[in-house]
Amino acid sequence: MPLSRLFRFHVLTGGAVLLTGLVLSGCADARTSARVPETRLPMAPPVNENDQRFADWLTEFRLEAMKAGITGATFDRAMRDVAPDEDVVAADQNQPEFVKPVWDYLKGALSDKRVARGKALLVENKALLDRIEKAYGVDRSVVVAIWGLESNYGDHMGTQNVVRSLATLGFEGRRPEFGRAQLIAALKIIQAGDIQPEEMLGSWAGAMGQTQFIPTTYLAHALDFDGDGRRDIWHSTADTLASTAHYLQVSKWQTGGHWGFEVAMPAHFDYALADMSLTKSIAEWSKLGLKRADGRAFPATDTEETASLLLPAGYKGPAFLVLNNFRSILVYNASTSYALAVSLLSDRFKGMGEIKRGWPYDERPLTRSEREELQALLTAKGYDHGKADGIIGYNTRKAIRSYQQSVGLPPDGYPTASLLERMRTN
Ligand code: CA
């Protein structure tokens, strides 16, 4: 795709796209139609195949949007200057070769600066957080921790225009149906008057504002908590924090419950049990020899709750029993490293959350090509894991466990450089 041409297209044919929109516009929305310039004239037609493809896509998408309840006026107002964004295409296609080890990620997430600022904001916003906690029953420390990790407390909301990013993803993203569905949701938000399209800023993938909600999440869960009539997760701290608490509440947050605990592992343990897809009660885990790493007893209220054993860096690193509230955080963002960072940050605000066990610093995580090589080796050795895509999912972990068991290693299903080295020779 010659991306520079897409930019030229923006300059040359923006007017032509607008004209198409205006001709098709059936019903005018009084609030937004006044903003559409009246004197636009048709400009040069699209100059190449890709330009024509985007113009065709916009025409087709406009019909889809109108079927979903977007007025022609809203569509034309929001989309009038939109052209594909090459940065978004590049970000969408980039599958990074290197991943940060989880300990480096947590070091940044739990920096002294982030902890100190969160503590100060908890004090500063006490009255507001009292009301939010009363309304939604979610621990204020977790709400503020999410705020701290999603946007560094509102500092980094992303600078991309969300409408443009989503139009790009809908037109030529790896998951165009995602881009289109999110763009329609974004247009609904604009149509409701919550935000002007040019102020709708976020990440290249369409995560918006201080809570980094994607448009469908915003539509379902964002709130106007300061009562000004607009759900504003870009500028209003009240709307931001209440929307986050509300999203956790509907994600089955249990009021007064814990997220989980770091645990000390017994000398002999079947590490095949360490998988987020497997749950046992705290009482059952206790019987298997797991204890809290800080030496305290598990709270009596949690003993019947189901928990999973999470080993973020394999059996050589820290171990955590994670409870239902941890899964509520995973609804926000499906990465266990993220949910652990939120959980530990919320504990740090309370003067806790230090990890007792050291990390296995000598076990660096595999690069993308090494993960693909590991999957190829698993196949060659007869361990079926599904598609060789470089992604360590459930099936790959299962295949790794089988290999580990066959050579007498603890079957934690965790891929490391030393495991790959062993597989190359054995
Ligand atoms: Ca508001």
Side-chain angles (χ1 to χ4, degrees):
M1 168 85 43
L3 292 163
S4 58
R5 291 181 148 186
L6 290 173
F7 280 103
R8 278 216 307 281
F9 164 58
H10 172 49
V11 176
L12 291 172
T13 64
V17 171
L18 175 74
L19 184 77
T20 309
L22 289 174
V23 169
L24 289 171
S25 174
C27 50
D29 180 303
R31 187 174 55 239
T32 51
S33 61
R35 296 173 186 279
V36 178
E38 291 164 5
T39 53
R40 293 259 180 144
L41 294 170
M43 298 176 74
V47 292
N48 66 38
E49 198 186 322
N50 291 316
D51 300 350
Q52 184 63 53
R53 273 178 56 234
F54 185 65
D56 291 348
W57 179 85
L58 260 189
T59 305
E60 192 191 314
F61 178 69
R62 192 173 186 280
L63 293 171
E64 188 181 329
M66 292 183 80
K67 272 187 204 153
I70 304 302
T71 67
T74 300
F75 190 93
D76 298 335
R77 157 90 172 94
M79 305 295 282
R80 68 181 171 198
D81 292 324
V82 169
D85 182 342
E86 68 173 304
D87 291 344
V88 171
V89 176
D92 185 46
Q93 287 174 352
N94 177 34
Q95 300 189 31
E97 176 69 5
F98 297 98
V99 288
K100 219 180 232 193
V102 63
W103 49 86
D104 281 350
Y105 167 73
L106 288 175
K107 199 174 161 193
L110 305 171
S111 70
D112 292 346
K113 212 171 163 184
R114 202 186 312 267
V115 172
R117 188 149 167 228
K119 281 182 174 175
L121 287 165
L122 278 159
V123 174
E124 197 180 302
N125 294 286
K126 185 185 175 300
L128 171 67
L129 289 162
D130 283 345
R131 286 197 295 132
I132 290 173
E133 208 168 69
K134 198 176 168 196
Y136 306 107
V138 177
D139 180 349
R140 68 186 65 201
S141 297
V142 172
V143 171
V144 171
I146 288 179
W147 188 26
L149 287 175
E150 290 295 339
S151 64
N152 199 27
Y153 311 107
D155 282 355
H156 304 299
M157 296 185 269
T159 54
Q160 310 263 13
N161 180 280
V162 166
V163 170
R164 186 180 183 195
S165 295
L166 294 173
T168 305
L169 294 174
F171 171 55
E172 58 185 340
R174 287 187 296 137
R175 294 184 298 149
E177 62 294 340
F178 168 85
R180 286 202 306 273
Q182 293 303 326
L183 182 50
I184 284 175
L187 294 171
K188 285 182 180 172
I189 294 163
I190 290 164
Q191 188 158 285
D194 284 311
I195 189 90
Q196 296 295 323
E198 58 275 10
E199 289 178 41
M200 194 179 227
L201 300 180
S203 75
W204 67 267
M208 312 185 297
Q210 302 190 39
T211 54
Q212 295 286 282
F213 278 5
I214 56 172
T216 49
T217 301
Y218 176 107
L219 273 183
H221 307 303
L223 295 170
D224 170 26
F225 200 73
D226 62 14
D228 73 345
R230 298 186 312 123
R231 304 186 288 175
D232 188 349
I233 58 172
W234 292 267
H235 310 100
S236 162
T237 302
D239 290 5
T240 294
L241 298 178
S243 296
T244 297
H246 180 231
Y247 190 23
L248 287 170
Q249 182 198 36
V250 299
S251 304
K252 300 182 180 168
W253 182 271
Q254 295 179 356
T255 304
H258 294 74
W259 63 266
F261 311 94
E262 186 187 353
V263 288
M265 300 301 295
H268 300 286
F269 184 78
D270 176 10
Y271 281 95
L273 299 176
D275 197 285
M276 286 298 290
S277 67
L278 188 148
T279 59
K280 290 176 179 297
S281 69
I282 295 278
E284 286 175 292
W285 287 116
S286 295
K287 271 184 210 157
L288 291 168
L290 275 66
K291 292 183 164 53
R292 276 180 68 172
D294 61 10
R296 296 164 64 189
F298 290 111
T301 49
D302 291 330
T303 51
E304 292 310 312
E305 201 180 344
T306 55
S308 295
L309 179 59
L310 174 68
L311 305 173
Y315 77 97
K316 290 182 182 172
F320 301 89
L321 275 187
V322 295
L323 304 170
N324 295 327
N325 282 347
F326 189 87
R327 292 188 186 275
S328 302
I329 302 168
L330 283 175
V331 175
Y332 212 103
N333 179 332
S335 151
T336 51
S337 300
Y338 170 84
L340 189 61
V342 167
S343 301
L344 293 171
L345 183 57
S346 73
D347 276 357
R348 295 275 170 104
F349 295 152
K350 304 168 189 168
M352 308 184 297
E354 295 291 339
I355 300 173
K356 305 280 183 205
R357 187 163 183 197
W359 294 100
Y361 293 117
D362 55 330
E363 289 283 19
R364 68 169 176 81
L366 298 182
T367 65
R368 183 173 182 85
S369 33
E370 285 172 335
R371 294 196 299 275
E372 284 168 358
E373 185 190 350
L374 180 128
Q375 288 177 322
L377 286 166
L378 285 168
T379 304
K381 292 173 189 299
Y383 300 101
D384 182 35
H385 58 80
K387 204 169 124 209
D389 52 8
I391 296 166
I392 308 295
Y394 176 78
N395 290 324
T396 304
R397 285 199 307 276
K398 204 173 150 196
I400 293 171
R401 289 184 209 282
S402 300
Y403 170 78
Q404 288 172 320
Q405 273 160 341
S406 76
V407 295
L409 287 170
D412 62 2
Y414 184 76
T416 60
S418 59
L419 182 78
L420 176 64
E421 189 54 41
R422 179 155 186 172
M423 288 180 75
R424 283 171 178 153
T425 55
N426 181 9

